[in-house]
Amino acid sequence: MGTVRKSITLTDTQDAWIKAQVEAGHYTSESEYIRDLIRREQECGAETEAIRAALIEGEASGEAMSFDVAAFKQRMLADLGCRLFPDHKG
């Protein structure tokens, strides 16, 4: 993967923060810190897009069906209760 040299402008506070992260041993260089910030933003953007796509798919899937929470809990307790709650009788 190729690299590109960039020139950026930071405030004194931002510069001090980055240097402190490197000095604390969290990163080996200031460039590594900036690249990590970019990677995190890319991951966050990808997660946001995946959630957005799932919401759109859900909205497009039609009318919601009714859901009985109490009945669901009873089924789960009957199916998994002995594994999740070994002392449960029922």
Side-chain angles (χ1 to χ4, degrees):
M1 180 179 302
T3 60
V4 177
R5 182 174 290 276
K6 295 280 184 186
S7 174
I8 62 171
T9 303
L10 303 169
T11 65
D12 291 337
T13 303
Q14 292 167 333
D15 185 51
W17 173 261
I18 293 170
K19 286 179 179 173
Q21 299 306 303
V22 173
E23 289 171 8
H26 300 299
Y27 299 92
T28 59
S29 69
E30 294 177 17
S31 291
E32 181 188 3
Y33 178 76
I34 299 298
R35 286 191 302 270
D36 186 50
L37 289 177
I38 293 168
R39 275 191 299 273
R40 289 179 192 206
E41 181 64 21
Q42 288 171 326
E43 289 169 2
C44 183
E47 290 172 4
T48 300
E49 283 307 311
I51 292 169
R52 184 174 285 118
L55 289 170
I56 291 169
E57 180 182 343
E59 288 176 346
S61 69
E63 245 352 91
M65 299 182 325
S66 64
F67 183 75
D68 185 341
V69 175
F72 174 77
K73 287 181 178 179
Q74 283 299 108
R75 280 195 317 274
M76 290 300 101
L77 196 54
D79 292 347
L80 303 172
C82 62
R83 284 182 267 160
L84 296 176
F85 307 101
D87 297 332
H88 176 71
K89 307 288 187 238

